[in-house]
Amino acid sequence: MINITSAVYNEAEISEYQGNPLIEALPRLKSPAEVAKYLNRFPKIPAAELTLPNYIRRHAMMRIIDKFLYPTSKHIQLEQMIATMLRRGYLSRNIKDKSHQENINKIDHIDFRQIFRNAGSLAVSTSVIGCSGTGKSTTVEAILSTYEQAIYHKDYQHTQLVWLKLECPHDGSEKGLCIQFFKAIDKAIGSDYEDLYVKARSTAESMLSDIARIAANHSLGLLVLDEIQHLKLAKSNGAKKLLNFFVTLSNVIHVPVLYVGTPSCLTLFSKTMRSARRASQYGSIDWGRFSIEKDEPDELSEWDNFINRLWRLQWFETPTPLTPSIKQQFWQLTQGIPHVCVTLFYLCQVRAITVDEEVIDEDLINEVYDEELKMIHPMIRALRLGREDEILKFDDLDIDKSDIRVNLKQSELDIVPEKTEQPVKKDVKTQLIELLTQMEIGPDIAPELANYAIVNHPDKTLFELIGVITNPSKSQNSELSKPKHNIKKSTKKLIPAYTENDLRLLFQADTDMYAEFKKAGTILDITPYL
């Protein structure tokens, strides 16, 4: 059942916000301390749960993953940015003014289809960019939850949609994103826009003017586009056209747009910035991993505060103390990525109670990491090395230039210093052989195939080399698709071993072969039996 909150108006904090019902219906601005208190999530551990059977306790432990959030300065910065975007976006949209309906009527005369086709220069309203697992989406959702999504203004017969969060489809489909818009609106206010505007023959272009009209009619305050990097997969320049539409939505209807994604999405904007001023109008946040750097020598780092707080969530009767060596070990194995750290900590507890030893030691941590988190080993290794060329192999990782220097200086691993002539191809060959082996190509054949591919196609990427090997007929001048000629193998002449009365010796005799065989008894004389 849809429950739309009736508007309760608060006194605006500054003069620009006064007299605007869309702003005055929003909650009062929060101080940094209030934001930190609200966003802080720390699940409770009832004493009775510590003695539950292991198979039940592991279900209670899931709260570590579901209900733990440690706010930092970036969380507060993001909350303040969203608060600013919402209110500034409403400044030119006042439902008390007669110009409000006039502006909505103007939308009908805008050719959004033409805007969608034009792939001109674009601008980014605001962005939150960071590697996977750092909690970007979780934090955005937590902040949005401090606002009612839909508010009904009885005096103005108006339903205000404060925010709308969409996740870009995995295939970057323009039509799919438009359909998601209608679905999200219907879920928030109980409308039937999807049935009304989404037809079998509907295209993304045909739905854009409807999206703009709905956004204006319901005074959409903030549009959040999550997983924006998926737009890279859009066909026929779709990503550029969609971004152009959203920027126009911001310009014409004054709906702020917040983009959330991994570093790979930066290529969507790098060549299409309208101006540096618009790109940083509300500020942009680089949502990185936890830092081990300390602001002051006597203070704890972000990483120290995070791991100290997380470590208190133990469903053991006698909790394992957090030692400096374990803290360092967790850093090396997670590289400060919150989701990876929380997951590893949860899995360690599950493993500990499974073997009936309620202790988390270094051996257990290494064992769980090696067995349960194999898929992220290449990414963690790239971050651990701190080399830009290694990190850029993964689209969803990111690292600052300063972080590269910090990691190389502070890492306690025995890393061999990089040589002047780095064997880049050797790394590619090793990865290629590993991938071929995973594709069930024999370990004796994989190195030969990898070597042929690299030698004949030195400029191709790792995945292009896979294509060369798996589809040799599509590769021009590929040595893999040519028959192998002039391959001479050195063979040793075999010396036969003869036995007594060997037929091969009898066959080589110069005498009558029949007589020789009969004399040797090979041919039976049947005369005596006649």
Side-chain angles (χ1 to χ4, degrees):
M1 180 178 178
I2 304 298
N3 185 18
I4 301 177
T5 303
S6 296
V8 176
Y9 303 107
N10 299 303
E11 184 179 354
E13 290 85 354
I14 60 175
S15 58
E16 288 96 324
Y17 298 162
Q18 293 174 359
N20 189 324
L22 298 177
I23 298 178
E24 292 177 339
L26 300 177
R28 294 187 61 81
L29 295 172
K30 296 180 179 61
S31 67
E34 291 172 330
V35 173
K37 182 178 180 180
Y38 185 87
L39 294 182
N40 180 50
R41 309 283 171 82
F42 192 80
K44 294 181 179 180
I45 307 177
E49 289 186 355
L50 302 181
T51 57
L52 289 173
N54 295 345
Y55 70 93
I56 298 178
R57 236 190 310 173
R58 65 182 299 161
H59 288 266
M61 290 177 183
M62 283 298 296
R63 295 189 206 124
I64 300 174
I65 296 177
D66 298 336
K67 298 182 179 181
F68 176 74
L69 177 62
Y70 174 71
T72 65
S73 58
K74 283 188 173 64
H75 293 74
I76 296 172
Q77 181 185 356
L78 179 57
E79 192 279 336
Q80 293 179 340
M81 186 174 72
I82 289 177
T84 303
M85 292 174 70
L86 270 172
R87 290 159 176 80
R88 303 300 294 185
Y90 280 136
L91 282 181
S92 59
R93 294 183 286 167
N94 192 332
I95 55 177
K96 289 175 62 175
D97 297 341
K98 63 178 182 178
S99 60
H100 173 70
Q101 188 59 45
E102 294 175 356
N103 292 333
I104 293 178
N105 294 336
K106 290 179 183 178
I107 296 174
D108 293 330
H109 303 289
I110 299 175
D111 189 354
F112 281 95
R113 298 188 182 190
Q114 187 63 34
I115 291 171
F116 189 66
R117 293 190 198 99
N118 291 339
S121 58
L122 311 182
V124 183
S125 291
T126 304
S127 62
V128 178
I129 309 298
C131 71
S132 295
T134 52
K136 305 180 299 297
S137 300
T138 301
T139 303
V140 170
E141 291 173 0
I143 293 172
L144 293 179
S145 68
T146 64
Y147 295 87
E148 296 290 347
Q149 187 174 12
I151 301 173
Y152 180 67
H153 299 261
K154 183 179 179 180
D155 294 343
Y156 307 97
Q157 299 293 297
H158 182 75
T159 299
Q160 173 188 3
L161 190 62
V162 179
W163 56 266
L164 196 68
K165 181 176 178 292
L166 306 179
E167 185 171 315
C168 296
H170 287 279
D171 60 354
S173 165
E174 307 101 294
K175 183 177 179 180
L177 186 59
C178 292
I179 293 174
Q180 277 200 34
F181 182 92
F182 294 122
K183 286 181 180 291
I185 291 279
D186 291 344
K187 183 179 179 181
I189 64 176
S191 54
D192 58 352
Y193 289 127
E194 183 181 4
D195 294 336
L196 189 61
Y197 295 116
V198 180
K199 306 298 181 183
R201 297 185 178 180
S202 297
T203 64
E205 291 187 2
S206 66
M207 291 186 280
L208 288 176
S209 58
D210 299 321
I211 288 176
R213 190 181 304 106
I214 292 170
N217 283 336
H218 292 293
S219 301
L220 178 58
L222 175 67
L223 178 61
V224 179
L225 295 180
D226 199 2
E227 304 293 352
I228 191 69
Q229 70 275 3
H230 291 164
L231 289 185
K232 291 175 62 180
L233 302 177
K235 299 177 181 179
S236 304
N237 213 20
K240 208 170 189 179
K241 292 185 286 186
L242 267 179
L243 289 175
N244 202 37
F245 167 75
F246 288 124
V247 170
T248 304
L249 196 69
S250 179
N251 289 339
V252 176
I253 312 177
H254 302 103
V255 177
V257 182
L258 175 63
Y259 298 98
V260 183
T262 62
S264 63
C265 74
L266 293 174
T267 57
L268 293 171
F269 310 121
S270 58
K271 297 181 181 179
T272 55
M273 288 293 187
R274 183 169 294 164
S275 68
R277 179 187 62 82
R278 272 302 298 265
S280 59
Q281 183 175 1
Y282 295 112
S284 182
I285 299 179
D286 179 13
W287 200 270
R289 302 168 289 131
F290 279 117
S291 172
I292 56 175
E293 289 288 279
K294 299 180 181 180
D295 294 332
E296 298 292 338
D298 297 335
E299 295 181 356
L300 295 176
S301 66
E302 283 186 348
W303 166 253
D304 289 325
N305 287 323
F306 174 79
I307 191 67
N308 288 345
R309 189 164 179 76
L310 175 65
W311 206 259
R312 290 163 52 190
L313 294 174
Q314 295 186 43
W315 269 259
F316 300 157
E317 291 189 72
T318 304
T320 302
L322 177 61
T323 63
S325 60
I326 288 181
K327 185 184 294 187
Q328 177 64 20
Q329 183 184 20
F330 256 79
W331 169 261
Q332 294 296 350
L333 298 181
T334 67
Q335 288 299 295
I337 299 177
H339 181 70
V340 178
C341 184
V342 171
T343 301
L344 179 59
F345 182 59
Y346 163 75
L347 292 174
C348 285
Q349 287 200 57
V350 171
R351 179 69 63 90
I353 65 172
T354 300
V355 298
D356 289 326
E357 294 182 8
E358 298 186 0
V359 175
I360 301 177
D361 56 25
E362 295 182 34
D363 291 338
L364 177 70
I365 296 169
N366 283 327
E367 181 180 323
V368 171
Y369 177 78
D370 291 338
E371 296 179 9
E372 305 284 351
L373 299 177
K374 284 183 179 179
M375 295 195 64
I376 66 169
H377 285 188
M379 286 74 83
I380 295 297
R381 177 182 177 276
L383 291 172
R384 191 182 300 155
L385 291 175
R387 290 212 316 257
E388 189 173 10
D389 61 326
E390 291 290 334
I391 292 169
L392 293 179
K393 292 178 181 178
F394 305 96
D395 287 343
D396 54 355
L397 292 185
D398 185 28
I399 194 167
D400 261 351
K401 301 289 185 182
S402 58
D403 288 340
I404 293 174
R405 290 192 292 272
V406 167
N407 281 352
L408 289 176
K409 180 178 63 176
Q410 296 194 357
S411 176
E412 295 184 6
L413 296 179
D414 295 328
I415 300 175
V416 179
E418 185 178 354
K419 298 179 180 179
T420 305
E421 296 182 4
Q422 184 180 336
V424 178
K425 283 300 177 188
K426 182 178 179 181
D427 292 338
V428 173
K429 183 177 179 180
T430 302
Q431 291 184 23
L432 187 55
I433 292 173
E434 290 177 355
L435 288 174
L436 292 174
T437 304
Q438 293 174 11
M439 294 167 61
E440 298 185 354
I441 295 177
D444 55 336
I445 301 175
E448 183 178 351
L449 292 176
N451 186 60
Y452 267 112
I454 292 173
V455 169
N456 290 284
H457 302 276
D459 298 328
K460 289 188 179 296
T461 64
L462 179 62
F463 293 102
E464 288 173 338
L465 291 172
I466 289 289
V468 169
I469 294 172
T470 56
N471 297 290
S473 59
K474 296 181 180 180
S475 304
Q476 298 179 353
N477 301 324
S478 174
E479 293 298 324
L480 294 173
S481 60
K482 294 180 180 180
K484 299 178 183 179
H485 299 294
N486 302 324
I487 300 178
K488 296 182 179 180
K489 295 184 178 180
S490 58
T491 57
K492 295 182 179 180
K493 186 176 180 180
L494 297 177
I495 301 176
Y498 298 109
T499 61
E500 186 178 357
N501 295 325
D502 197 303
L503 292 179
R504 291 174 291 177
L505 294 175
L506 296 175
F507 184 78
Q508 294 172 4
D510 295 334
T511 56
D512 180 37
M513 296 302 302
Y514 180 80
E516 291 293 332
F517 284 156
K518 189 174 182 179
K519 182 179 178 181
T522 305
I523 297 177
L524 180 64
D525 183 6
I526 64 172
T527 302
Y529 302 99
L530 295 177

